[in-house]
Amino acid sequence: MKDWSTLALGAILSLAAPAWAIQASEVGRLDWHLPLIGPPQLSSPVDPPLHRFHHTSTSAAPNASKKSLLLTYTVKNVLAALEPSTGDVVWRRRYPSNHPNARHLSCSASSVIVLSGASGSDLASLNGSTGAVEWSLSGAEGREGQALCWNDGSTTDILWLTKDGVRRIDGITGGVIWARNNGAESKGSLRLVQIDAERFGVLDISPQDEQPALSLQLIDARQGSLVGQPSSAKSHVQASNALTVKSRAVDGPTSTLVWVESGRLLSLKLGDKLDKPSRLAASTSASAQVAQVRDVGLSHLGIFVAHYEDGTAAVITSVGEDWSVDPRVPLCGLRRPPWGSSYRPPLVLLIPPSESLPRDGGAPANFPRLPQLGSFQIYSLAATEASPAGMLTGHTFPFDQDKFGSLITFAFEASPPNAYTVATRSYISTSSGVTQAWEGSHLVWHKEESLSTVDSPALYWDVAETVQHDSSSSLLADSSLPSRLRRHVNAISRIFDQGVQSKPTAPASNGRQLVFVASSAFRTIFALDLAQQGRIVWRACIDGRAGSWDPFQRLRMLDLDDGRPRVSITLIKDAETASVSLVELDALTGTILDVDSSTPAVSAAFSQVMDKQQHVSDKITLDVSGTSIAGVSRSQFGIKTSIWTAHLPEREQVLAVAIPRDGVVASTGRILGDRSTLLKYLNPNMIAVATFSPATRSSSVLLMNSESGALLHKIGPIADVDDESNLSLALQDNWLVLTYRVAGEAARASKVVSVELYTSGDDSLGMLGVNLERIQALTRTFVSTQALEIKSFTRTKLGITTYNALFANSLGQIVAVPRRFLDPRRTLHKPTKQDQEELLLPYEALLPADPRWTLSHRREVEGLNKIESFAGRLESESLVLASGLDLFGTRVSPSRSFDVLSPTFNKAQLVITITALSLGLAVTRSMVKGRQVHQKWYFL
């Protein structure tokens, strides 16, 4: 009985032990893709909203069914259509960085007109349902372009104003119906306005120092010919606070210019002659002045909103030749302006009075005196039996301003389902990059769009190896004893299930947390669990009072005596006094623990060198400024002093800098086939600097010591570098990879240069200040047709597994090229026996495009600009995280899963064998003991 109890106790202890399974089904399958669009961009109050609901249809029939989509333009230059009920991306289009504001119009239900380019010089029609380009045109740059939908009853065309003139574009085919060149170039702001059913005008709002301030030239919309002479009027109009509103008179639609001047709201009817501006007397009062006018998407119906300095708003509607001004509505009862110098006034949701009109508009959102609530105030112009003149209603919703920041952009659609209520669907975004959709007071979906701006030096660690088990932590909630027992029991129950071997398994939640912590450009810090499909473990929003935010500022891990690590970040508190603040967060929960703002920066130039910092370590920072590179000694709280400066030859400039990450080196040498050894050149302070000379159109790579600035080795010059190519390089241990685009190639081929560094003498490894001739650089150049761009290398726990080089190609895919194919020692002849012992491949200039190397498979990681690798749970496992506009994570095994049991491994036979051996051991142990006793009695 004692033997059986011992075996039972051992079995129970083995289940309770914190051992991690090595079966393939329990290692975890990591392959996830998070498509993002970026936080919404702020729009001008006098321009049509950048975020609105669009009712699209695949048919032009009047009774065709329509689908509601949410159109939004973001800070990542992405125009996207979202499904309002789920937040899923229906389609998206990313524009170049020189497209700061792509305005979009809805001239028809089936298409979206997009005005983009550096100055509105590009015009395109997109399919409203799919986002496909139906037609596109390009014009001259140099003036802010304008577009105006023109419906003459039979067709809907587009009037397009650019620097080279005005054109009427067919809304279906994109063909130019007529074009008219501009006359003398104006220094003011030009706008297209509809005058009546047959004429439109080009309104010129001149700068304040010129007279007259307003000028209007009428043009016949049918033929493009001038109508009459230009008319002008004198007034102090600012284009940034002037709004064009359509009104419906007896003889047809007309346009009126409305603007704010010295706290007064003025209007001017646009027609054959510009009269003297008139004041909308009913819209103002002696107690408050007008602060701003805003287009809430209903200016084409003659409706706009006026905001006052005391925090109230008024809805102003065009009624024939007059204006109807509704009573001013207090915003949540705040009698004082709730804004500062960066105030963007809240909006009022408007519902058009006609059932046939679209229900898109802006919305007010403000915070009442309860800090955890937000509110929507809705002013409806829809006439019902209960409220023939419209109604004022609204609702509140839970909103934590400290956690999510301030509300900044809004989009609404609404309808009155009965005579007493208004049903709303709203879309909001905050200053921390959060986007949410609400149906009334019910939250429909929530997204963290600021993850698209994650581009900071990040922290990564295995929680189970960093801290003790703590059931109160959100990171270790799955690491408790009951969770581990359930995991082991479930694993045993699957042993005899033969069907599991052939079925794909979901990611296993085995309690091991692999945490990636990084900051975004919107004052937020995220912790993502790379082992659980990129799940957000926690997020922290840093208050603006802590200091100015720098998304590239380095995060640090602080080791404390209590066993709970902290994440810290240093912010600039006051640039003039050169003081900073240190923010500390609990690394397990994201709770802000301390904000210390009493530590002064020791350098008055602290704020000046923050822009182009590249962190080599916690003590050394690189400052790159075009033709020079400097090493700066830095403390925990700021920059101390420059310790060295390296100046490049004349007209050379720095293109890229590669800084190796700290890692484990398993082997300090390489054994060759003839049993000789090449010693790796391993210098923890080595950095690589890529330079370019426009005069010779060549590039060089300088290997430098980051502590002393000494030149260790020079590679190059490389003569065929395209000066417009995105040259990139990466360095790890003794391996350097450089990628660039070939100059003058019609196919735009790219080259990959692989360099391995070895010591050519008997010097010790890692010596500082090594002479140039002591480093032996082995180089091979390969050609790729995929436009590869090196990003990083794979990393493992112990460094035993071979490396893979991680590239991004032109299709937004992640390509992991094995080191064997980039080995600089690939033979130029037929491999000998010694070469075969080293597993060397024959050299081929063309790098194959093996689809098995594509880690992202068919997924396209939009805007891919950074790929990082982290050690996984096992030595054979390396985690890869790609960021850009999207986030993508996966797991790769460069040397295959040599430490993981095969899925076809016979687990049942293993258990039966172990059980039989245990039973045999228990039976034979008593037999052996009896024989030993018998021998002692009878064989003395």
Side-chain angles (χ1 to χ4, degrees), residues 178 199 244 302 671:
W178 54 258
R199 299 178 301 170
T244 304
I671 301 177

Side-chain angles (χ1 to χ4, degrees), residues 929-940:
K929 285 185 178 180
R931 179 167 297 184
Q932 290 176 348
V933 173
H934 182 271
Q935 289 179 350
K936 291 180 180 180
W937 278 103
Y938 297 101
F939 298 96
L940 295 176

